[in-house]
Amino acid sequence: MGVGVALSTLTTGVVAFAAAVPAQAASPTHAFPSHQTYQVGVMPSASEATRDAAVEKQYDSWKANYLVHGCASNEYYVSTKGDGDATNNGPVSEGQGYGMNIVPLMAGYDANAQTEFNGLWQLVKDHEDQYGLMQWQLDGKSCNYYSGGTPDGATDGDLDIGYGLILADQQWGGYSSDAKTWLTNFWNHDVAPDGHLKCEDDGPNTDTRPSDHMIDHLRAFAAYDTSHDWNKVVQRTEAVDSSLVSTYSSSYGLLSDFVVGANGSSPAPAPANYQENQPDNIVGYNSIRVPWHMGTDALLNGATTSAFELSEAQKWSACAKKVSGDNPANVYPHLNLNCTGYNTSDVAEEAGDSIGPSAMAAGDQAWTDKIWNFLQTNPYGDGYYGETIKTLVMIVMAGDYWSPAASSAPANDFSVSDTPATASVVAGASATATVSTAVTSGSAESVTLAAAGLPSGATAAFSPASVTAGGSSTLTVTTAATTPAGSYPVTVTGSAASGSHTATFTVTVTASGGSCTPAQLLTNPGFESGATGWTQSSTLGFTPITTATSAEPAHSGSYIAWFNGNATKDTDTIAQSVTIPSGCAATLTYWLHVDSTENTTTAKPDTFTVQVLNSGGTVLGTVGSFSNLNAASGYTQQTANLSSWAGQTVTLKYIGSETDTSGGTTDFVIDDLALNTQ
């Protein structure tokens, strides 16, 4: 190996270097066990002391088998022993990142933790690629990069290494400069221009890998490094995942191993053999990590900040429970996106292990306990990959996973977005958009809204003018008959104590003078002719368009469209194709009533969405989104602006989805629709 030190072989077969290592310099500020109170969910029923002892036992085993003192006397690496991910059991950046997370979390129990962390970090620094990130694959003997082509980095390893540096800085201090330099390199080369995470630092700006979507890490980056807009990365990552789930796995929340078109409005599962030799339009050995990451973020950050992640955790946990027959040992590492086994002959420990944080976040006590007990075994003799994931999952499930973001400022932040982002109006008419805010870190704060960049003669009004982060407001831009034709980007600004964020609402004004004939475009908008003009479906075989009852009366007339409410898993849809004339402003209205007996005040197991699709079935936009939390007496009129699709033939689709995971059922009922142009 050429490092001039004596070698000895441990009883585990792992090579260790006999040279001395630097002494530990500081006492940990979050010594293990660092018991945390998570924001949502349940803990395993085992006692706190039992859980801590189990983590210590697993850590001892992991360290003895996979933490190697090499390639130099001041270096450590995580061996891929047992999985063959690198020649001669060498390290990969993914494993190095895992190690740089595990070791700081175990400081206090492991007296040598800082020395080991410094060695892990030293190896990274000694094996950086052209962008200052870690060469993703090294030989275990020569410690040279051996994969083909120019040495490059992998996003998951780079992300975990950055998070590990922040953990170390909060644990011992002294790593701030290294951490911020690393995050700058990561921002410059692993983040695409639109904010989504690339698969590797020298890869295209078009793809992403959902197993890299470690939202809790990104939130920590946002709190720690204010020189880059990490909240943009959080928002874009959530947008990509939300679009994928809505289009390809709305009932189960599953995400494929690789994704293409991540920089556009219609991300999609990658085709077969993309990046790796497998059918990538499924859950595989990459995406089995998604429920671990989603569940962890939900546990740390709660139902408001992590609403999407909590919903994903609940769905993924329910799917794994269903497909495995309530047995963690039978969670398959290959799943179709409709929650059926793609390959039921393949089993792996880490597939069941990774569900643990999601089961906790979902509040499923019995399922959580089964997974915790399963974690104490290794039924398939898994190597580095399974045992390393197990170690991190056990730290989370034991309640010892602390977030470095909690020690960083600023504590509060938010985001601003608008739906739709564009609208077309005839001069003298109005355009509307829903301006939504979300808590991205810390606590909710008051956000004041304003608009700038209006065309001549136009005015803007918000209802309400200020919201608490997490709330929404309706923006109405009213043009004058004299407003010149043109496209105007209106800047929507949300201002709070923590700072300001913006979104753009582009209003296209066309000249008045009869270019649009006012009309109501929908066929049979009140369903009084039954299903005429509509297509409908139900996974349970029911027809949503039906006669009203005393339990669910019509808003007017005798017919309604009634979605879900069967106390079992179900997806119901109705749809109609419509052509919106060019030069017209178009407004969709409908009356909605929601009943629910779901046993939750935070979760959204039952959802109702309104989508606009093109002729090929691609979702162009979601113009309405509701859940069991919107239950109320009577009907409420809902409005959506469809002007941005003027000149197109689109499909208007209503989708009710019930997961039956929170102990109740939800009825979504609509009536008296209209799509009016002016």
Side-chain angles (χ1 to χ4, degrees), residues 149-173:
T150 302
D152 63 348
T155 296
D156 56 350
D158 295 341
L159 202 155
D160 267 325
I161 290 168
Y163 189 73
L165 287 167
I166 299 176
L167 282 172
D169 196 43
Q170 299 298 341
Q171 187 70 286
W172 300 296

Side-chain angles (χ1 to χ4, degrees), residues 13-39:
V14 177
V15 175
F17 285 78
V21 295
Q24 185 165 310
S27 298
T29 59
H30 299 273
F32 183 89
S34 180
H35 299 136
Q36 306 296 303
T37 300
Y38 295 141
Q39 300 298 308

Side-chain angles (χ1 to χ4, degrees), residues 43-56 372 397-400:
M43 298 296 298
S45 296
S47 71
E48 197 173 69
T50 299
R51 298 196 303 264
D52 293 341
V55 172
E56 292 168 357
W372 174 256
M397 294 190 72
D400 293 311

Side-chain angles (χ1 to χ4, degrees), residues 629-641:
L629 300 183
N630 296 109
S633 61
Y635 283 86
T636 303
Q637 189 174 39
Q638 307 295 332
T639 302
N641 191 319

